[in-house]
Amino acid sequence: MEARHSIPVLVVACALVFAACSGESAATTTSTTTTLPPPSTTTTTTTTTTTTATTTTQPLTDHDRCLRRAVFDDPANSPYVLPYPPGDGYSIIQSYCHDDGSHENQLAYDFAMPLGSTIVASRAGIVVEVEEDVPDDANTSHLNYILIRHEDNTVGFYAHLQHDGVLVEVDEEVEQGQEIGLSGETGRTGGPVLHFGVYFSYPPVEGRDIPVVFSNSDGPLDSRGGLREGSFYEAAATD
């Protein structure tokens, strides 16, 4: 299952087009051959060949850039909790920096959730933007979402929410663990899902996100310390 996410970003697409041209005359055909001049019979030429080692550096891909940002802290020190209530558990169907999906340059997670599942605030903050008018069955890049700004100006992004599934309002202060919305499948998804990611500031910009782990996640971590695609994570109770 692969989810597509839309945030305010500037996308620049570039293409190189090569053209080959040929000309023919109905009356005559001209063939041109260029030949190097013959070596002189009176001059001795000594040629010195110098071999230079050239190192070619391949440009970084979005996937490479994403992995460079994927440095995770100890979950015990994380200010974030899983974005669903304690006792609930869901599998990750697309993890961070996924090189065969929409997360190629995103430090985000997609949790497979039944339609209408409760979503909670992963961290306390102020609601800065919401959208809930996109129909559940709309095949469009538009989606329903919530953006919450935290005390350090980072912004949590909760996406693909149900139509009319936003339970908070702009400028509302929310506490960590507070119910804020209902999961859905708005936008281009393969089924009900919650997309969650955190960005450096508002408005969020692609490639300006931060690696996140959760202090109450009960499940395996990968070699980088992030949540692993295909694994199940239950939210433990918090103090």
Side-chain angles (χ1 to χ4, degrees):
M1 186 184 308
E2 179 180 308
R4 300 285 176 181
H5 321 293
S6 177
I7 62 175
V9 296
L10 174 63
V11 177
V12 179
C14 300
L16 297 177
V17 179
F18 296 87
C21 302
S22 63
E24 293 184 356
S25 170
T28 60
T29 301
T30 302
S31 177
T32 302
T33 302
T34 302
T35 305
L36 292 175
S40 171
T41 59
T42 59
T43 304
T44 301
T45 303
T46 301
T47 303
T48 302
T49 303
T50 302
T51 302
T52 304
T54 303
T55 301
T56 302
T57 302
Q58 296 296 327
L60 290 176
T61 65
D62 284 343
H63 178 61
D64 295 330
R65 294 185 182 94
C66 188
L67 289 177
R68 285 191 171 190
R69 302 194 308 274
V71 180
F72 296 90
D73 292 331
D74 185 343
N77 300 325
S78 174
Y80 300 92
V81 297
L82 285 166
Y84 40 85
D88 288 0
Y90 302 101
S91 295
I92 290 187
I93 57 173
Q94 189 173 192
S95 191
Y96 66 92
C97 304
H98 188 96
D99 61 354
D100 188 26
S102 63
H103 290 187
E104 184 179 21
N105 195 25
Q106 293 181 10
L107 294 169
Y109 301 110
D110 283 355
F111 297 91
M113 289 185 172
L115 195 68
S117 299
T118 299
I119 297 168
V120 304
S122 181
R123 187 176 176 183
I126 298 176
V127 180
V128 292
E129 189 176 333
V130 301
E131 174 60 68
E132 64 175 351
D133 295 334
V134 179
D136 291 320
D137 58 354
N139 183 19
T140 173
S141 60
H142 298 291
L143 47 81
N144 296 325
Y145 61 87
I146 300 171
L147 287 165
I148 296 177
R149 181 163 52 206
H150 313 127
E151 63 178 357
D152 58 1
N153 286 324
T154 59
V155 177
F157 181 49
Y158 308 74
H160 300 295
L161 275 59
Q162 192 173 37
H163 177 242
D164 289 333
V166 174
L167 307 180
V168 291
E169 299 180 352
V170 172
D171 293 331
E172 180 178 345
E173 293 188 17
V174 297
E175 298 298 323
Q176 185 177 66
Q178 178 180 330
E179 295 184 6
I180 60 172
L182 303 174
S183 64
E185 53 183 339
T186 55
R188 295 196 174 106
T189 72
V193 65
L194 171 65
H195 172 91
F196 178 76
V198 179
Y199 291 82
F200 274 105
S201 60
Y202 177 81
V205 175
E206 187 85 359
R208 292 283 297 161
D209 49 2
I210 63 175
V212 173
V213 287
F214 307 95
S215 62
N216 70 333
S217 62
D218 185 6
L221 301 178
D222 63 19
S223 60
R224 293 175 177 269
L227 274 62
R228 190 169 63 194
E229 185 170 313
S231 294
F232 181 86
Y233 295 89
E234 182 174 341
T238 57
D239 296 334

